[in-house]
Amino acid sequence: MAEITAAVGWVVSPVIKMVIEKIKTFIEKKYFEKSSIVDDMTKMNTTLPEILSTMTTVEKYRIVDPYQVQLVRQIKDAVYDAEDCIDDFDYKLAKEEYEKSLPNKVRRVTASCSRFINRTIVGNSSFKKKLTRVNERLDQANRSAEKLLKLMEANKSGNMQLIEQEYQFLTSSVPSGETIFGREKERELIIEWIIEEKAGPPTIIPIVGQGGLGKTTLAQMVFNDPRLNSHFESNKKLWLTVSDKFDKRELTKQMLKYLCESFSANDASFDMLQRKLQTELSSKEILLVLDDVWYGKHDKKYRYEKDWSEFLAPLSNAKAKSTIIITTREDLVVNSLASLGSIRPISLDALNDDDGWSLLKLKAFDCVNPDNLHDLEPIGRKIVNKLKGLPLAIRVVGPRLRGKFDMEEWKRILKDDSLDNDIIEVLHRSYEHLPGHLQRCFAYCSLFPKDYYLKRDRLVHMWIAHGFVFPKEGERLEDVGKSYFNELISRSFIQVIERNNKEYYVVHDLMKDLACHVSQGECYILKENHTLQNLGSIRHLSVITTRRPISHHHLSIEFFRREYYNLITCIRGLDKLRTLILLYPVSGVLVDLSSEVFIKMKRIRVLNIDCNLRSFKLPNFGECKHLRYLCFRNCEVEPEYFSKLHLLTTLFIRKRDKSENIEVFEIPHGSRMSRLEVFDTSKLIKSEIKISTYSHIYWRFFILVNLRERFAELIAKERDWWEIGDLRDFNNIKGKLEISRLEYVASREEAIEAQLGSKEHVTQLWLTWNYRAYPVKGKEYILNEILEALRPHPNVERLMIHYYPGDKFPSWLEPNWLSRMTHFWIQGSNYGFKMLPTLGQFSQLKEVYFQSIHTVSKIGDEFYGNGIFPSLELLKIYDMRRLETWSSPCRVYSFPKLSTLELYSCPGLFSLPEIESFCSIESVEIVNCPKIRSLPKLPVSLRYLKIKKVHPDLEEQLGNKNGAEWDKVAAILGCRCETYRAETES
């Protein structure tokens, strides 16, 4: 079984398709025109489709013959060599594009090593020789493919099984008669749902779980429960096996045979069948079990849901107590049926230790307990644990123990690796039903240890780096990759668990074993107690040591003192390696990861070093030219390491030190720089990214990034460090974009160069001037034009403007453009606008915050406009020294959702608006407003009132609980009032 998976478990046809598409693109762009390699590329483009045709057929079969397995491996190796060759060309092309993008004076320096593409790349003799060797290997692979096809034709009934035909399980409602363990709770819950009074469409009860957990057994228990006999007549209980071939016409015919034995459906159309079924179900209560339902390997969601909707449509005529029970391995099935009725899913888990042991005893001893049962029980429970509590696996292994009462025999079976194969055989069907692009993505998960919390964004970008993700035109790679991840969740290959109110992603132990099985020969995970052998064909390697500190775990030290040299030697020999992941490595490994090791790893695409040390200096990885994904934690790097990484698209950075210390990296700037995404998984850690065009020219960016929100902050300390126009091509910035020191932007034209309107994934925009910035007399209009030119994309939800010294707000600050804006902040200065912006008509606006606006003296109609602030929940006004009046809104029912009002440090304000009409307000805070002598009439919804440092007369009345002002507070039942003197509750 292991050999089978090593051959075809890791599908290669998507790789062939990708290489064919790349070659096609290169030819269309005429990169090979008038060159000596055009024939070689054309030949490759002819051979690969022939191999693709063979591999598409091969991947539908399970091959068990060792010779055929070897042929498949040869084909895969040749295909990967072709991919590497095309990747070499892609790298050289990226390098040329980079060097062409350099300023003229730098380009002259590099002219000796950078000519035109058709001379430096296409005409390169070493590249032509490599291309010739690859074509020779592809020719050999093609011959092997032809030989393989002939062998497959000759052995169709022998050592080969068609996956799609291998499983055609038929189930029935008749139970096996064996005792069932561990499903009583689920059975009682389903029975309760079935017999309860209800109205509306039939209830749908999906029983969801991995293969072998007993879904069909549970459905049989419910179907044959005598308590249901009074609810359903015998011919009103229907059991249909769906399997992976969903045929709505055939299933409808089977239902009619249950309900109307005399009906002949041979020549009837689907419409005739549906009408007949609708008539037969009229005003009847039925129990329908649809066993072994699959979402389908190639089904499109729309087509799949439409077929199910049509198939189940006649059931709407059945009575409300009708129930449909569905057994399936995939949550995707449940999601697709959500619109068809009331869904009450049941998720099955493995048997607990006691139930698993009870089942094993039954199968091993046949209800006759041996004399030494007490001695055998601990071993038996270990066997159950090794079988992961899977009922089907226990039923398979139990008979092997029958009649064997010797402890040593039980121990031998416990150590037998075939137990794992029994589990894998049960689960393998789920994997085979995955689409090809998801098979590789899931198999790649084998590189992470059991119970490891997967980082979704990191894993998705690893898939992207390896070319596992295939977007359609107009789709973003990251979005498509996340859809793959979500589909693996829906198909139950990845689980979502909750810890401390946070969601984490894990691969269940059973599925982890499956991932390791199907990725044999491609992926390998090396742990402390593993030996280094037979890794020659490995393309993806993960090295895992302990999470615990070295000083407290001598095993790690002793293991790597003995083995790390062998490990490094082994890595040097893995010239095919494409992934290297080091999780929690100890110093011995990292110290010897010399530059020589990285030079050997010429094909590496993904490098992930998650260092447990306080700080470690990484060896030079600059020769890993094909590197697309780089992640390191608690590591120091030299700037020149990045100078040749022209294909790098993803960089994850993390430091243990959560201080604001700045860490500096240097990254080559070129046409591909706009593809680079920089992340930091730690909270709000600043890292400086120096983007270098050459050794003495710099554009410097500060990147403030977070794994979840992906902040990008652009700051300049000196005018010549950057130009805002450098943001032009960074249209993949996602989350928060902060642009500071905007006083250095000199003109409207310069601001337009940033192209903020093209950054559709930016949802938070921070625009900041220096707080000392002031308008030049007679040129105030320039500031207004600059802000006008910084028009963002309409997807912006949060907007902050800091220290803007202009006297006019931009035309784009209006509800028709920023229709999604939910939060708005303005922090002012001693210069600038005299009136607040008009915000009353923003329908989604929830929070408004004004601070330090020392140029505004009133709040009135200019703020309200013609709107009522329909969604505003929080309004904060802080430190507005010249604010004197705040008039009430003219429109009735303004601020219908405002719950919190905070007014701080407004020393000139002497009156408040009538807030009685603010019908939802619960909290009002008025602090350090010494001219306020009286309160307006308060709304009955108020629950908290904070009054401090206001006029002494008002403070005295509230503090002494007397006078007209106190009466306004006392009239509100349940309102807590906090004053400068005391805290009271009216």
Side-chain angles (χ1 to χ4, degrees):
M1 184 69 183
E3 288 296 316
I4 301 167
T5 304
V8 295
W10 185 279
V11 293
V12 74
S13 54
V15 180
I16 304 176
K17 293 177 184 176
M18 182 175 65
V19 175
I20 292 173
E21 285 299 315
K22 278 192 173 183
I23 295 175
K24 182 180 177 181
T25 301
F26 292 156
I27 292 175
E28 287 176 352
K29 292 187 177 181
K30 299 182 179 180
Y31 287 135
F32 314 124
E33 192 176 26
K34 298 180 181 180
S35 74
S36 58
I37 68 169
V38 65
D39 293 336
D40 294 304
M41 281 293 182
T42 304
K43 178 177 173 53
M44 185 184 293
N45 205 34
T46 303
T47 308
L48 282 171
E50 296 174 3
I51 298 175
L52 175 63
S53 177
T54 302
M55 292 308 296
T56 302
T57 303
V58 168
E59 288 167 359
K60 294 179 180 178
Y61 289 84
R62 283 194 181 187
I63 304 173
V64 295
D65 182 82
Y67 179 64
Q68 294 179 19
V69 169
Q70 186 62 33
L71 288 177
V72 173
R73 284 179 176 167
Q74 291 175 8
I75 296 170
K76 291 171 68 174
D77 286 343
V79 169
Y80 282 123
D81 285 345
E83 184 190 17
D84 288 331
C85 185
I86 296 303
D87 211 45
D88 281 339
F89 183 81
D90 204 22
Y91 172 80
K92 295 175 186 297
L93 188 62
K95 181 182 177 183
E96 287 290 331
E97 290 174 350
Y98 155 60
E99 292 179 349
K100 279 183 144 188
S101 70
L102 299 180
N104 290 334
K105 59 181 178 180
V106 179
R107 200 180 305 166
R108 284 195 295 270
V109 175
T110 62
S112 59
C113 62
S114 176
R115 303 181 189 89
F116 295 106
I117 292 176
N118 64 349
R119 296 175 63 186
T120 56
I121 303 176
V122 178
N124 188 293
S125 59
S126 63
F127 181 73
K128 178 174 173 53
K129 289 178 181 178
K130 183 173 184 178
L131 194 57
T132 302
R133 288 195 301 270
V134 169
N135 270 325
E136 290 172 355
R137 293 207 63 187
L138 287 176
D139 285 338
Q140 178 61 44
N142 203 13
R143 290 192 291 271
S144 298
E146 293 173 358
K147 187 184 298 184
L148 183 61
L149 273 178
K150 292 178 181 178
L151 290 171
M152 291 168 70
E153 286 294 327
N155 294 311
K156 271 189 176 179
S157 58
N159 293 330
M160 184 179 65
Q161 296 170 309
L162 183 60
I163 290 170
E164 294 181 356
Q165 296 175 353
E166 179 183 357
Y167 299 103
Q168 291 296 330
F169 294 130
L170 291 178
T171 62
S172 78
S173 61
V174 181
S176 62
E178 296 180 350
T179 306
I180 308 300
F181 297 96
R183 299 303 181 209
E184 294 79 8
K185 179 181 177 182
E186 290 87 353
R187 177 186 61 186
E188 293 305 310
L189 183 58
I190 295 175
I191 295 293
E192 179 184 333
W193 287 345
I194 292 175
I195 64 178
E196 70 181 6
E197 292 293 333
K198 53 194 172 186
T203 299
I204 300 175
I205 304 177
I207 302 174
V208 186
Q210 286 301 334
L213 284 176
K215 301 181 294 297
T216 299
T217 301
L218 175 58
Q220 289 172 338
M221 292 170 65
V222 173
F223 191 90
N224 293 284
D225 194 289
R227 287 172 289 180
L228 298 183
N229 292 340
S230 60
H231 293 271
F232 305 103
E233 299 175 22
S234 59
N235 68 330
K236 304 302 185 296
K237 294 167 67 178
L238 294 69
W239 183 286
L240 305 179
T241 302
V242 180
S243 194
D244 56 348
K245 302 293 185 182
F246 175 65
D247 186 335
K248 60 185 178 183
R249 187 176 187 277
E250 182 59 32
L251 292 173
T252 304
K253 287 168 60 176
Q254 291 183 33
M255 290 179 66
L256 282 169
K257 289 178 182 178
Y258 270 104
L259 298 170
C260 182
E261 295 181 3
S262 61
F263 179 71
S264 176
N266 293 335
D267 300 323
S269 67
F270 179 64
D271 180 68
M272 293 170 62
L273 295 173
Q274 290 275 284
R275 289 178 182 276
K276 178 63 177 175
L277 182 59
Q278 191 173 33
T279 303
E280 291 295 326
L281 291 175
S282 179
S283 302
K284 294 178 182 177
E285 294 177 357
I286 68 163
L287 173 63
L288 172 62
V289 175
L290 299 171
D291 190 38
D292 197 25
V293 177
W294 293 80
Y295 187 80
K297 186 171 183 177
H298 305 292
D299 286 318
K300 294 184 178 179
K301 183 177 179 181
Y302 170 75
R303 182 71 254 174
Y304 183 82
E305 293 181 3
K306 186 174 184 294
D307 284 348
W308 269 102
S309 179
E310 291 174 354
F311 167 61
L312 296 176
L315 272 73
S316 61
N317 258 28
K319 281 190 175 180
K321 280 193 176 181
S322 296
T323 303
I324 304 172
I325 297 176
I326 295 174
T327 69
T328 181
R329 301 188 185 198
E330 302 176 314
D331 285 327
L332 213 55
V333 171
V334 181
N335 298 338
S336 67
L337 300 177
S339 62
L340 303 180
S342 173
I343 305 289
R344 289 184 165 183
I346 292 283
S347 295
L348 287 191
D349 294 320
L351 295 179
N352 62 38
D353 191 50
D354 291 336
D355 289 328
W357 169 235
S358 297
L359 178 58
L360 185 65
K361 279 195 302 180
L362 176 68
K363 304 302 291 184
F365 307 134
D366 200 16
C367 300
V368 178
N369 292 336
D371 296 334
N372 63 338
L373 176 63
H374 180 74
D375 296 327
L376 297 176
E377 181 173 346
I379 306 173
R381 288 182 179 272
K382 289 181 180 179
I383 291 175
V384 170
N385 186 58
K386 188 172 182 179
L387 295 172
K388 309 294 193 277
L390 205 63
L392 182 58
I394 296 173
R395 290 178 184 277
V396 172
V397 173
R400 292 170 56 184
L401 299 167
R402 188 166 294 168
K404 298 176 181 178
F405 306 131
D406 180 63
M407 284 183 59
E408 294 303 318
E409 182 67 17
W410 278 52
K411 288 179 180 178
R412 186 189 67 78
I413 292 178
L414 174 62
K415 296 177 181 179
D416 191 348
D417 291 336
S418 66
L419 293 185
D420 295 328
N421 292 338
D422 291 331
I423 299 174
I424 296 302
E425 186 64 34
V426 171
L427 298 176
H428 209 282
R429 187 184 178 202
S430 298
Y431 173 79
E432 288 162 349
H433 277 78
L434 280 177
H437 62 275
L438 291 183
Q439 286 184 350
R440 287 201 300 172
C441 291
F442 168 69
Y444 196 79
C445 295
S446 65
L447 292 173
F448 302 97
K450 289 185 177 181
D451 301 321
Y452 182 82
Y453 290 163
L454 296 174
K455 282 77 174 177
R456 183 191 63 177
D457 285 32
R458 289 202 203 180
L459 182 58
V460 165
H461 280 86
M462 288 180 180
W463 293 343
I464 292 172
H466 286 299
F468 294 173
V469 179
F470 299 94
K472 297 178 182 177
E473 187 175 354
E475 293 181 326
R476 295 177 69 244
L477 274 168
E478 186 180 0
D479 293 338
V480 176
K482 287 180 180 178
S483 73
Y484 288 5
F485 190 91
N486 293 335
E487 190 168 353
L488 286 174
I489 293 175
S490 297
R491 291 177 181 264
S492 304
F493 284 83
I494 296 175
Q495 284 185 320
V496 182
I497 61 174
E498 189 170 309
R499 296 282 188 275
N500 300 321
N501 297 320
K502 292 183 179 180
E503 285 189 348
Y504 296 92
Y505 306 104
V506 296
V507 178
H508 188 278
D509 285 356
L510 290 171
M511 304 311 291
K512 175 64 171 64
D513 293 339
L514 176 62
C516 291
H517 182 72
V518 299
S519 63
Q520 287 179 19
E522 294 282 343
C523 301
Y524 190 80
I525 183 168
L526 179 65
K527 298 180 182 178
E528 293 178 15
N529 56 349
H530 286 194
T531 56
L532 299 166
Q533 55 184 350
N534 300 325
L535 298 184
S537 64
I538 295 300
R539 290 183 172 86
H540 310 279
L541 177 65
S542 180
V543 182
I544 301 174
T545 61
T546 180
R547 290 172 179 259
R548 285 177 282 177
I550 298 174
S551 59
H552 297 124
H553 195 68
H554 300 290
L555 176 61
S556 293
I557 297 177
E558 291 302 319
F559 170 77
F560 281 106
R561 279 177 179 169
R562 183 179 67 255
E563 294 288 349
Y564 82 83
Y565 177 78
N566 293 334
L567 170 64
I568 300 305
T569 304
C570 172
I571 292 177
R572 286 194 188 108
L574 294 179
D575 59 333
K576 298 178 181 178
L577 203 63
R578 293 174 173 226
T579 299
L580 178 60
I581 298 175
L582 300 178
L583 294 180
Y584 331 117
V586 294
S587 57
V589 175
L590 290 177
V591 167
D592 265 46
L593 272 180
S594 62
S595 299
E596 179 189 350
V597 173
F598 287 114
I599 292 174
K600 296 286 186 181
M601 295 190 297
K602 294 181 179 179
R603 307 185 187 189
I604 199 81
R605 267 89 165 162
V606 170
L607 179 60
N608 187 106
I609 301 179
D610 197 353
C611 182
N612 239 3
L613 304 174
R614 192 69 182 174
S615 181
F616 178 78
K617 186 173 182 179
L618 272 181
N620 189 352
F621 49 78
E623 294 302 318
C624 301
K625 298 178 182 179
H626 299 284
L627 199 62
R628 286 172 167 82
Y629 172 103
L630 176 61
C631 171
F632 53 86
R633 180 170 73 106
N634 301 330
C635 298
E636 299 175 8
V637 296
E638 293 295 332
E640 60 267 19
Y641 293 177
F642 291 92
S643 61
K644 297 180 181 179
L645 303 183
H646 299 291
L647 295 180
L648 186 67
T649 56
T650 304
L651 173 63
F652 281 88
I653 307 165
R654 188 176 182 183
K655 291 177 61 180
R656 181 188 296 274
D657 183 12
K658 296 189 177 180
S659 68
E660 291 298 318
N661 294 335
I662 292 177
E663 188 170 337
V664 179
F665 309 100
E666 182 175 315
I667 300 173
H669 178 83
S671 60
R672 299 236 173 164
M673 187 61 210
S674 60
R675 293 169 49 187
L676 180 67
E677 295 189 68
V678 187
F679 306 88
D680 191 335
T681 57
S682 52
K683 302 270 182 158
L684 301 181
I685 296 178
K686 289 186 178 179
S687 302
E688 180 180 359
I689 306 297
K690 293 196 301 183
I691 300 178
S692 170
T693 58
Y694 202 61
S695 59
H696 59 282
I697 298 177
Y698 299 95
W699 288 316
R700 298 191 179 188
F701 289 82
F702 281 81
I703 305 294
L704 182 62
V705 285
N706 179 281
L707 180 64
R708 284 287 184 186
E709 299 181 52
R710 228 162 292 166
F711 292 72
E713 180 182 2
L714 173 62
I715 307 176
K717 289 185 178 179
E718 294 181 13
R719 179 68 179 85
D720 57 354
W721 273 21
W722 68 287
E723 293 179 0
I724 194 171
D726 294 331
L727 273 175
R728 182 191 306 106
D729 296 325
F730 286 77
N731 293 330
N732 286 327
I733 295 176
K734 187 173 182 180
K736 175 182 172 183
L737 170 62
E738 181 170 347
I739 307 177
S740 299
R741 306 301 292 269
L742 282 166
E743 66 274 10
Y744 286 123
V745 179
S747 68
R748 171 179 174 274
E749 290 72 24
E750 189 176 338
I752 289 176
E753 284 292 305
Q755 294 292 312
L756 295 189
S758 300
K759 291 152 184 55
E760 60 180 307
H761 306 294
V762 172
T763 56
Q764 302 180 50
L765 179 62
W766 266 222
L767 301 175
T768 305
W769 284 254
N770 186 286
Y771 74 98
R772 292 179 178 175
Y774 59 89
V776 178
K777 190 173 182 180
K779 295 187 178 181
E780 295 86 349
Y781 68 94
I782 295 179
L783 293 169
N784 301 335
E785 288 180 347
I786 289 172
L787 184 57
E788 183 69 38
L790 293 174
R791 176 189 293 264
H793 193 277
N795 286 341
V796 166
E797 298 172 2
R798 300 185 178 214
L799 175 65
M800 176 181 281
I801 301 176
H802 273 186
Y803 310 125
Y804 170 54
D807 60 7
K808 181 181 177 183
F809 285 102
S811 64
W812 48 259
L813 187 56
E814 53 92 19
N816 290 328
W817 184 256
L818 296 180
S819 58
R820 299 184 181 183
M821 189 169 69
T822 59
H823 295 68
F824 181 65
W825 293 269
I826 291 184
Q827 186 167 5
S829 64
N830 293 319
Y831 311 96
F833 45 90
K834 307 298 182 184
M835 296 187 300
L836 296 178
T838 303
L839 302 176
Q841 291 181 297
F842 283 84
S843 60
Q844 304 298 320
L845 192 59
K846 294 182 178 180
E847 293 186 12
V848 173
Y849 183 16
F850 298 131
Q851 181 178 2
S852 303
I853 304 174
H854 305 316
T855 53
V856 172
S857 60
K858 68 172 184 174
I859 299 176
D861 292 341
E862 77 289 342
F863 175 52
Y864 306 128
N866 293 321
I868 62 170
F869 292 90
S871 301
L872 192 67
E873 299 171 0
L874 173 64
L875 176 59
K876 292 185 178 183
I877 300 176
Y878 278 49
D879 188 27
M880 291 181 62
R881 301 173 192 170
R882 298 182 185 177
L883 181 61
E884 297 177 354
T885 62
W886 184 357
S887 59
S888 300
C890 296
R891 302 193 62 172
V892 184
Y893 306 121
S894 291
F895 301 102
K897 294 185 179 180
L898 186 66
S899 61
T900 302
L901 172 62
E902 297 180 9
L903 188 63
Y904 279 69
S905 300
C906 298
L909 183 63
F910 58 82
S911 66
L912 297 172
E914 295 296 330
I915 63 174
E916 183 185 11
S917 63
F918 300 173
C919 57
S920 298
I921 199 161
E922 296 180 354
S923 173
V924 174
E925 299 181 20
I926 303 172
V927 178
N928 198 20
C929 301
K931 290 188 177 182
I932 294 182
R933 305 180 64 130
S934 66
L935 296 174
K937 193 172 182 180
L938 302 175
V940 295
S941 60
L942 193 64
R943 291 295 172 264
Y944 175 68
L945 177 63
K946 181 178 181 180
I947 302 286
K948 291 186 176 183
K949 297 184 180 180
V950 292
H951 194 278
D953 293 346
L954 179 56
E955 282 191 358
E956 183 177 358
Q957 291 188 52
L958 296 179
N960 296 331
K961 301 182 185 179
N962 59 32
E965 299 306 317
W966 171 251
D967 291 342
K968 295 176 184 177
V969 178
I972 310 300
L973 296 177
C975 176
R976 184 166 65 90
C977 179
E978 181 181 345
T979 67
Y980 184 73
R981 295 185 179 182
E983 193 173 313
T984 60
E985 185 167 335
S986 63

